[in-house]
């Protein structure tokens, strides 16, 4: 009794891990500094001190269907849509992880370091740490 048995394999993508520039390139959406660049909610950013900020907390969440239908035209940068939309069972909003480096390390951590080092000016924030302070932090971390 000879027969061929074909097993059907199914691959499920749980998440795509991209930094902000790569995610915007793959999905054809605004980069992290764009006004409508948030990948999880429909918020329009504002320019504050030469930085795009997303102020507030109560915004309409993005959905896979909204992404496919391009319901927020300001979020997309071209008239074409990513080829990944053709792959079954991929959620174009929730299967793409948030970028820890750009959101936390380059955003929150920089502000926390400035607070801890007492480097706030009265009216604005210094955006670059002097090299002596960077060396000081590095030496403390190494010790």
């Amino acid at each position: 009794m000879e027969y061929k048995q074909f097993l059907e394999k199914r691959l499920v993508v749980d998440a795509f891990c991209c930094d902000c520039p790569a995610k915007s390139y793959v999905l054809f959406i605004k980069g992290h500094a764009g006004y409508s660049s948030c990948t999880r909610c429909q918020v329009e950013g504002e320019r504050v001190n030469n930085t795009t900020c997303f102020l507030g907390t109560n915004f309409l969440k993005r959905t896979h269907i909204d992404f496919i239908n391009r319901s927020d035209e300001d979020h997309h940068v071209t008239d074409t849509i990513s080829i990944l939309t053709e792959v079954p069972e991929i959620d174009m909003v929730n299967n793409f992880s948030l970028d820890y480096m750009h959101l936390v390390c380059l955003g929150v951590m920089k502000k926390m370091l400035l607070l801890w080092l007492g480097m706030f000016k009265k009216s604005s924030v210094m955006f670059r740490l002097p090299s002596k302070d960077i060396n000081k932090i590095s030496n403390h971390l190494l010790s």
Side-chain angles (χ1 to χ4, degrees), residues 103-121:
L103 292 173
V104 176
C105 297
L106 297 179
V108 175
M109 276 311 297
K110 180 166 51 173
K111 288 183 177 120
M112 287 174 60
L113 284 170
L114 291 171
L115 277 170
W116 293 336
L117 295 172
M119 299 184 69
F120 274 113
K121 289 183 178 178

Side-chain angles (χ1 to χ4, degrees), residues 27-70:
L27 297 178
F28 302 127
I29 58 174
K30 295 273 175 83
H32 64 283
Y35 287 117
S36 296
S37 62
C38 182
T39 57
R40 297 294 169 97
C41 64
Q42 295 183 27
V43 56
E44 188 169 326
E46 298 175 25
R47 293 298 281 181
V48 177
N49 292 334
N50 220 14
T51 303
T52 304
C53 297
F54 300 97
L55 307 172
T57 56
N58 191 16
F59 300 105
L60 187 63
K61 290 185 177 183
R62 292 191 191 280
T63 66
H64 176 73
I65 299 300
D66 290 337
F67 187 93
I68 300 293
N69 293 333
R70 298 173 45 89

